[in-house]
Amino acid sequence: MKKYKSKSLIAITGANGFVGRALCQELSLRKINHRRIQRKKEDNAFLIDSLEPNTKFSKALIGVDILIHCAGLAHQNKSNSQSNLLYDEVNYKGTVNLAKLASEQGVKRFIFISSIKVNGELSYEIPFKNTDKENPKDPYSISKQKAENELKRIAKYGKMELVIIRPPLIYGPGVKGNFKKLIKIINLGIPLPLKNIKNKKSFIYIGNLIDFIIESIYSPLAAGQTLLISDNVVISSKDLVEKLAFYLNKKIFFFFLPELFLIFVLKILGKKDLIEKLFGNLVIDNHHAYTILNWSPPYTFDEGIKKTIYSKKW
């Protein structure tokens, strides 16, 4: 573990979220000076009402040298029109408002936690690279892309450095969303139709992401970069389930269903989004990110999965 002696003040938005909380905990362990900015009332945290185009951050940003923007909106279950509006207001306009205020306050570096979905939903046969043309497909990823583009403009015409980090699905203690659902399904011993699934997926353990974010705080080479980051493992949905089952100490049963039939059933059930998750490839070429920061993950994939399961926080 590296020892940092910088006296810079680091602020984290969304400090009570999955990534933000883990980041603040690690900063505390390393005795790195930081400030939490969040909506939930907690001791020693700067409170904000929301992340919107008119949110006032001025007091929270006083004296801040580096701002890590983890806050954002995801997993909306509202109608398409409502989701479009909410994602645009929070992830795009809210982020731009924050960045403008940060630049005015003299923040030196803005680290934006974006998403690999800005590259696209599927990587098909070629892994995603940082130089790829952006190809967002849904309101969430479109809002992230719009925010990235405006942040680049603000950085170009101001003095604030910009670092963009695009992770894939993040797992670890306290994981939510589909990863959490998958763990629970396996824990119940429910048979899964994955016997013939041979897709490829990239993930990142929360501990590795946090270590990388901290590295990007201090590395001068991170400035101006778009960094695609993942664990050093590519794994199929079937192999992931087997690994989770191993650490859960559960027997898992796979059965075969023809791919076309399974796709038909999922469409009937209104689970069309699961088709890409089950059959599609989403692989990241992380070579650029590893090289530019001279970084390697402190945790192996197995260690990350083990810590996730044994934490019981799912």
Side-chain angles (χ1 to χ4, degrees):
M1 183 182 293
K2 293 185 178 181
K3 302 289 185 181
Y4 294 109
K5 298 181 179 180
S6 172
K7 295 181 180 180
S8 297
L9 175 59
I10 299 157
I12 302 94
T13 66
N16 62 317
F18 180 44
V19 174
R21 187 173 294 279
L23 176 57
C24 290
Q25 289 173 347
E26 186 62 25
L27 291 172
S28 294
L29 285 173
R30 300 192 192 193
K31 302 188 185 310
I32 296 175
N33 190 24
H34 64 283
R35 175 182 294 165
R36 291 180 290 145
I37 303 173
Q38 59 191 57
R39 289 192 301 166
K40 184 178 178 181
K41 187 175 181 180
E42 290 181 339
D43 292 341
N44 302 318
F46 275 73
L47 294 180
I48 57 170
D49 294 329
S50 60
L51 177 63
E52 294 178 349
N54 298 314
T55 301
K56 305 298 182 185
F57 287 94
S58 299
K59 290 183 179 180
L61 297 176
I62 293 174
V64 172
D65 298 291
I66 299 159
L67 179 59
I68 305 172
H69 186 35
C70 299
L73 196 65
H75 309 304
Q76 287 296 294
N77 294 318
K78 301 180 182 295
S79 68
N80 287 337
S81 60
Q82 288 177 310
S83 291
N84 281 333
L85 180 61
L86 285 169
Y87 285 128
D88 202 63
E89 287 291 296
V90 176
N91 293 346
Y92 169 47
K93 294 178 182 178
T95 296
V96 171
N97 171 59
L98 172 63
K100 287 179 177 177
L101 293 173
S103 183
E104 291 170 4
Q105 287 277 8
V107 172
K108 298 179 179 66
R109 179 172 288 191
F110 190 103
I111 300 174
F112 181 48
I113 309 303
S114 186
S115 169
I116 194 57
K117 286 167 70 70
V118 171
N119 285 68
E121 293 292 331
L122 299 174
S123 59
Y124 299 99
E125 299 302 320
I126 303 174
F128 284 137
K129 296 181 180 179
N130 67 307
T131 53
D132 288 344
K133 183 179 179 181
E134 297 159 357
N135 189 28
K137 296 291 187 180
D138 63 5
Y140 168 75
S141 54
I142 290 170
S143 68
K144 288 287 190 177
Q145 179 208 28
K146 289 169 66 177
E148 284 188 14
N149 290 339
E150 188 61 21
L151 290 175
K152 290 174 184 176
R153 191 193 68 79
I154 293 170
K156 181 179 179 180
Y157 295 104
K159 296 181 179 179
M160 186 173 66
E161 297 174 341
L162 174 65
V163 182
I164 296 171
I165 298 175
R166 293 182 191 162
L169 191 151
I170 306 162
Y171 66 97
V175 67
K176 303 183 186 303
N178 289 324
F179 206 96
K180 178 179 179 178
K181 292 177 184 176
L182 180 60
I183 294 174
K184 290 193 171 184
I185 288 171
I186 297 167
N187 198 46
L188 290 171
I190 298 173
L192 295 169
L194 301 177
K195 193 170 184 178
N196 58 327
I197 303 299
K198 297 179 180 179
N199 63 343
K200 297 178 181 179
K201 295 282 188 180
S202 290
F203 299 92
I204 188 162
Y205 175 55
I206 185 73
N208 289 334
L209 176 61
I210 297 309
D211 191 78
F212 185 82
I213 292 172
I214 294 175
E215 197 71 33
S216 71
I217 291 171
Y218 297 99
S219 172
L221 298 175
Q225 298 289 337
T226 297
L227 302 164
L228 277 57
I229 185 66
S230 65
D231 288 343
N232 244 342
V233 167
V234 174
I235 191 168
S236 70
S237 298
K238 178 177 179 290
D239 290 342
L240 173 63
V241 167
E242 288 181 330
K243 196 165 289 290
L244 290 169
F246 175 80
Y247 287 112
L248 284 165
N249 196 26
K250 294 286 183 177
K251 286 186 176 180
I252 190 72
F253 299 95
F254 298 112
F255 62 94
F256 174 80
L257 277 180
E259 185 174 322
L260 290 176
F261 178 74
L262 186 53
I263 290 172
F264 173 76
V265 171
L266 290 172
K267 286 182 177 179
I268 293 295
L269 294 174
K271 300 292 184 180
K272 189 177 178 181
D273 59 320
L274 286 178
I275 295 171
E276 292 179 343
K277 291 179 173 65
L278 282 174
F279 296 104
N281 295 335
L282 199 164
V283 179
I284 291 176
D285 182 344
N286 56 31
H287 179 73
H288 167 258
Y290 278 45
T291 302
I292 202 76
L293 266 63
N294 191 27
W295 180 85
S296 58
Y299 301 97
T300 65
F301 185 74
D302 270 83
E303 287 171 336
I305 293 293
K306 184 178 179 180
K307 286 177 179 291
T308 302
I309 297 302
Y310 289 2
S311 72
K312 301 291 185 181
K313 296 178 180 179
W314 39 266

